[in-house]
Amino acid sequence: MQSARVIKLGLTSLVTHPLRSSLAVLGIVLGVASVIAMLAIGAGASEEAQAQIRALGSTTIRLYSKKPPEEGGGAANRSRMVIYGVKYDDLRRIDETVPGVEVIVPVREVSSTVWWGEKNADTYALGTMTSWLEAARQTVARGRWINEVDMVNQLPSAVVGAGLAKKLFQHNDPLGTEIRIGTKPYTVVGILAGGGSGGGKVGGANARMADDAVFIPMTTIKERWGDRNVKRSSGSTDIELVEVHEAILEVTDPDQVIPTAEAVKAVMARFHRKEDYTVVVPLALIEEAKRTKRIFNIVLGSIAGISLVVGGIGIMNIMLATVTERTREIGIRRALGARRRDITLQFLAESLTLCLVGGLVGVGLGLLVPVYVEWKFDLPTLVHTDSVVLAFGISAATGLLFGIYPAARAARLDPIEALRHE
Amino acid sequence: MNTAAPPVPVVRIVDVTKTYTMGDETVHALAGVDLDILEGDFVAIMGPSGSGKSTLLNVLGCLDRPSTGSYFLGGVDVAKMTDDEISAIRSRRIGFIFQSFNLIPSHTVLENIEVPMFYAGTPPAKARERAKELASLVQLGHRNDHRPTQLSGGQQQRVAIARALANDPMILLCDEPTGNLDSATGVEIMKFLTRLNEEGRTVIMVTHEDDIAAWAKRVVRVRDGRISEDVRRRA
C-alpha cells in the first residue's frame, strides 16, 4: 500500500516536469536501447557465421588451391602458363601418411557459361566424385547425384545447384533435358536441395557457390577440359594449370581434427615451396568465431557500463536539482511526521521510476532497431530475452545507485532549515 | 469538560535551554524556560524577534531538541527520543499550522490533508474518508480536488487547519497563523481556532500582534530566552 503511494508520488513529479524528466532519462533510454540492439545484431551475425561454418562440417578439413602472388614482369608477357595448387599427388600423400583421414574428395572448377535453351548464366562447373555429396553435407532435392556409372563412363551428366536451377529453369521441369556448359551438351540428372555450403571457399558469399554451380563427374571434366583453365583478358592469355581446386578431407575421430589438420599442413608444406594452397579447418573457425563473440561481449559490456554511468549521472543531476527545488516540501513532510527513511524512500522511488520508465522506452526502442536493421540492411538479428532482462535490470540498478546520494541528502536536511527555504 | 478534576498539563517544559554556536559566539536562544500548558488551553506566545519564541515553538513542535532540560508531551519525555520516535510524535500528537500555509503545491486539497495520515500509516481508504470529513469541517468540501494555487489564502489556511487535525493531535501549534492574511480573513481563521479550542482542543499560537493574541485565554511573553510575563486573560 505504502509503496504504491510512494511510486505514485514519483510518477506525479515525473509528469509535472515532462521535458526535464525526458532529458534526464535520455541517457538511460539510449543506453538500454543500444545494449539490446547491439546484442541482437551481434548475436545474429555470430549465429549466421557459426551456422555457415558448421555447414562446412566440423569434422572436415578443406584444402583449397590458391593462385600464388604474381612474380615480377608479368605485364610484359603476352601469354603465359601458371602452374599452381593442390595436386593429386598431395592427396595421395595425405591419404598415405596422415592417419585418421577417411574420405578425400577432390573438386575441380571451370568457369563457364551454362545454357538452357535461350537462357544462360555465367557460373562454375565443378567436377567431383560420388562421395562429394555426403562430405559436403548436401542433399539432392530431385533426381539423383552423380554415380559410379557417370564416373566410369565419363558421362555428360549434370547436377544443378538450387540457386542456379531457379535462375535457369524457373518453374519448368529440367530433369532429363539438355543444358550446355560452354559448347558441350549435358543431361540434367538432379537438382541440389540448397543450403549448406559444400563447394565454395569458406565464409560469406563463397559459401553460396554450391548453390549457383553445376556439378559434373570429375572424369568428364578431365576428359573435356584437361587440367588447363584458359583465361583471356585484354589481349593477354593466361593458362592456369590446376589439378585440384578443392578437396574435402573427413577426419574420423572428432577429437583429432586439429592435430590432423596440423599433420596435413606439414605434408603440404614439405612439397609446396610457394603458398599456393590454403588449409581451412571449420572447427578452428568455430572456435575463433566463439572467441570473437566473447570479445564482442566484453566490448558490449564496457559500452553498457559507460551508458550506465552516463545515464546515472543524468539521473543524479536531475534528482539533486529536484531535492533542492523541493527542500521546503521536504521540511513540510518532516514536520508532518515523515521519518528520514520516508524521505529517502520517496526520492529513491522517484529516481527508480525515472529509470524504469526510461528503461521501458529503451527496451521498446531496442526491440525496434533490430527489426529496422533486418528490413533495411538484410542482416540477421537475434533478440535474446536475457539481453532485454539485463538491459532493464541495468536501468533499474542505475536508478537505485545514482538515486541514493540525492535521496540521502534530502533525508539529512534539517526540518527547520528546510521549512525556511524559499 | 469536567472542571472538577484537576487539569492535566499536556505540555510540561522544565528548565529548557537551547544554545547555538555561530562561529565563535554562543547564542542562548532559550536560557532556562519552565512552562506548563493545560489540556484545553489556548495560549499565545508573544515576543519581539530574536526573543526565542520561534525556538520555543520549534522545541514544542519537536522540530528542535532542547540543549538541556526536559519536555514532556502528554507525560512522555520527548527530549531523549530517537529521530524516528520523534517523527512519530510529530505525526500523531502535533498539528502544525504555519504562517505561509505550507501546503504541497503538487497535491490536491484532499491529498494535502492526507499527508500526516500517510506517515501515521492510516489505510488509504480510511484516510480518504477522514480527509473528506475534515475538508467539509473547514467548509472546503466543494474544493476537494483543487490545488493550493487555485485557492485563496484563507482557504489555504483552512486546508492547513484540516491537515493539522488529521491525526487528532494533542496540541495545535500555530506559527503566526494570520500573518499572511488580510485582517478580515485573519478574523475568520481566529474564529475557527477559537471554535476548535471550545471543542476541547489545546491551541498554542505564536504571534506578535496584540489583537491576534487577544483571542487567546493566556498570553506568555518571551524576552531574551526567558519567560518575562504570563497572563491569563479570561478564566
Side-chain angles (χ1 to χ4, degrees), chain A residues 328 332-334 341 419, chain B residues 84 90 100 102 107 119:
Chain A
R328 198 190 182 94
I332 297 168
R333 288 181 181 279
R334 292 282 279 144
R341 199 186 320 160
L419 274 171
Chain B
D84 277 5
R90 280 202 294 263
S100 48
N102 278 344
H107 285 20
Y119 292 118

Side-chain angles (χ1 to χ4, degrees), chain A residues 335-356:
Chain A
L336 298 182
R339 293 164 300 176
R340 287 209 168 97
R341 199 186 320 160
D342 296 317
I343 302 295
T344 309
L345 219 70
Q346 180 186 339
F347 284 92
L348 259 190
E350 226 164 274
S351 56
L352 192 64
T353 312
L354 268 175
C355 285
L356 289 184

